[in-house]
Amino acid sequence: MAVVGVAGGGVVKASRLHAQAYAPPLVPPPTVTRAEATAMSEARRRAYAREVRRYLNGHYFDSERDRQIRQVLNDLIEDNAEMLTGTREDALLTGFNVLGKSTVLYQLSYAVHRHHVGPAGDPARMARRTATRRFGGRDQEIHPTHAPVLFLSLEAATTVTRFNELVVEAFDMDKSTAKKASTLDLVLEHGVRLLVIDDLHQLILTERLGRYALDHLKAIVTALGEYGITVIFSGANLHEHDVMSDPQITGRAYEIAVAPYGSDTRDQVLAWQRFLKESGAVLAPFLPAAEPGMLHNDLPGLILDRTHGRMQAIVNLLRRATVAAIEDGTWAVTEKHVLAVPASKLTADELAKRADKSAAKPTQLHPTVSVTQHGQVTG
């Protein structure tokens, strides 16, 4: 399943989320043997590399970290839905930029959407519900789309008016609807069970309109809680944001901090190598010359140094290094391929600062440590 989203704020259409939730699984390119790979012409290698690149561009690199986060959030959603009355708990997902927070939330949203719509969902058409809305003093039956998940990405300096417009736009309605129907009514009519508010850091609480927007959000969260609906906030560096000093937000929210991969402790080393081992299993069918441990035993230190443990940089490096290894006929990711992938501007700046302090080549990360199939450590 391809991972899609809206970067930097904006509307995630419920219809688009539905289509992605029910999109058929990506079909990987055929596996090649070492003999078949060796016999390939340069043109055929490049064609195969294009197939692999297309597949990896749409592949979600899952991890133990992401699964644990999704489990915590799933438990929260279930608890909120089963509680009889009272204030529900929310979640605050935070961390530095480009660590994969939004990607985790999309995967969670797809799963929640499928759970409530059912296995027979049609990616081309959303199911409809029957609800009642009052028009001109009379109740009338309406048939809105069934949208169990509402995923909103806040824009810079979001106001109350703009937030309400984001809601109606997500339901594929005209912005003018925001003046005719309340946000709570629309959410209930569409059967929302999970509201994700991403890019919360976009709220500017030093401005009056930003404070009004936060107060509006808190009122909506409280109202949704009465119906067992879960709200998950997410944003970059929220630990530095004024929103974390608001007791109405932090008093009933779990804070889940997403950190980059590291190597300062043994647990961090193992978590990093397990992720590389899992990712290596995805790449192995396309790299017949790769030896077991290609990533997690041979290159963990170098990959960590080139990416600083940030998910976006890691995934980009793995994709591009794999494609390069196919194109040049090596058929295994090597140090040369890792070093050839340009570092992001953020990582490059950090590497430049480090180079000013020391010109020494990075040493390999715990080269004698290996991770077995069952996660045991040998060395």
Side-chain angles (χ1 to χ4, degrees):
M1 179 184 298
V3 180
V4 298
V6 175
V11 176
V12 182
K13 298 282 190 180
S15 56
R16 186 184 185 196
L17 192 147
H18 170 81
Q20 288 295 323
Y22 284 99
L26 293 172
V27 179
T31 300
V32 295
T33 65
R34 194 159 189 168
E36 291 170 336
T38 302
M40 280 189 185
S41 65
E42 180 180 354
R44 180 67 190 98
R45 285 202 312 271
R46 290 191 174 277
Y48 185 70
R50 284 196 298 272
E51 294 179 43
V52 173
R53 184 177 66 243
R54 281 193 292 267
Y55 173 72
L56 294 180
N57 281 338
H59 178 77
Y60 168 51
F61 284 81
D62 205 353
S63 66
E64 183 177 312
R65 181 202 72 176
D66 286 10
R67 286 188 290 271
Q68 290 175 347
I69 292 174
R70 294 199 304 271
Q71 185 60 58
V72 169
L73 295 176
N74 265 315
D75 291 345
L76 176 64
I77 293 168
E78 290 183 7
D79 289 344
N80 282 341
E82 294 169 356
M83 290 174 63
L84 295 178
T85 57
T87 301
R88 300 319 199 266
E89 293 180 312
D90 310 316
L92 279 162
L93 192 65
T94 184
F96 297 117
N97 288 301
V98 296
L99 293 183
K101 299 182 297 297
S102 296
T103 301
V104 173
L105 291 177
Y106 275 110
Q107 296 301 316
L108 173 73
S109 297
Y110 298 149
V112 172
H113 184 92
R114 289 191 298 266
H115 172 75
H116 286 282
V117 173
D122 181 354
R125 183 175 57 198
M126 296 182 72
R128 291 193 173 269
R129 309 175 74 244
T130 298
T132 301
R133 185 186 294 175
R134 197 163 186 80
F135 293 97
R138 298 194 321 179
D139 290 338
Q140 295 186 25
E141 189 175 277
I142 59 174
H143 301 282
T145 54
H146 187 195
V149 179
L150 180 60
F151 197 120
L152 305 178
S153 293
L154 300 188
E155 299 173 349
T158 296
T159 63
V160 172
T161 298
R162 184 54 188 147
F163 178 83
N164 292 338
E165 289 175 350
L166 288 175
V167 172
V168 299
E169 289 174 21
F171 291 135
D172 291 296
M173 296 176 171
D174 188 84
K175 286 195 293 187
S176 62
T177 305
K179 300 178 182 179
K180 305 172 185 177
S182 73
T183 296
L184 177 61
D185 287 343
L186 290 174
V187 166
L188 296 178
E189 288 169 0
H190 286 269
V192 172
R193 303 306 306 164
L194 170 63
L195 169 60
V196 177
I197 301 177
D198 200 7
D199 294 326
L200 186 64
H201 58 275
Q202 298 279 27
L203 285 182
I204 303 177
L205 300 186
T206 54
E207 297 182 0
R208 177 172 51 88
L209 293 179
R211 294 194 299 273
Y212 287 167
L214 179 60
D215 289 341
H216 184 59
L217 284 180
K218 291 188 292 187
I220 290 174
V221 169
T222 299
L224 295 182
E226 295 298 322
Y227 295 90
I229 299 171
T230 297
V231 179
I232 299 174
F233 296 103
S234 179
N237 303 315
L238 291 181
H239 62 284
E240 300 175 348
H241 197 280
D242 289 339
V243 73
M244 297 300 277
S245 63
D246 191 309
Q248 282 187 268
I249 295 292
T250 58
R252 60 187 179 193
Y254 288 105
E255 180 182 359
I256 302 174
V258 181
Y261 284 102
S263 60
D264 292 336
T265 68
R266 183 178 179 83
D267 286 344
Q268 288 179 336
V269 170
L270 288 175
W272 172 234
Q273 290 189 292
R274 287 187 182 116
F275 171 73
L276 289 180
K277 186 175 188 293
E278 185 171 347
S279 299
V282 174
L283 307 178
F286 318 124
L287 298 172
E291 297 293 334
M294 175 185 69
L295 298 180
H296 66 275
N297 281 338
D298 298 340
L299 298 168
L302 184 61
I303 296 174
L304 186 64
D305 191 75
R306 296 291 295 173
T307 62
H308 287 192
R310 297 187 182 93
M311 185 58 69
Q312 186 179 59
I314 296 165
V315 170
N316 178 62
L317 185 149
L318 295 180
R319 290 168 177 161
R320 297 183 67 168
T322 298
V323 170
I326 296 172
E327 288 179 337
D328 69 9
T330 305
W331 297 100
V333 173
T334 66
E335 179 177 324
K336 178 189 73 172
H337 300 120
V338 173
L339 291 173
V341 177
S344 69
K345 180 64 167 61
L346 180 60
T347 304
D349 289 345
E350 292 172 347
L351 289 172
K353 290 178 182 178
R354 183 187 302 176
D356 290 340
K357 297 179 180 179
S358 172
K361 180 181 176 181
T363 56
Q364 190 179 35
L365 170 65
H366 296 264
T368 60
V369 177
S370 63
V371 181
T372 69
Q373 185 175 2
H374 301 290
Q376 298 173 331
V377 182
T378 61

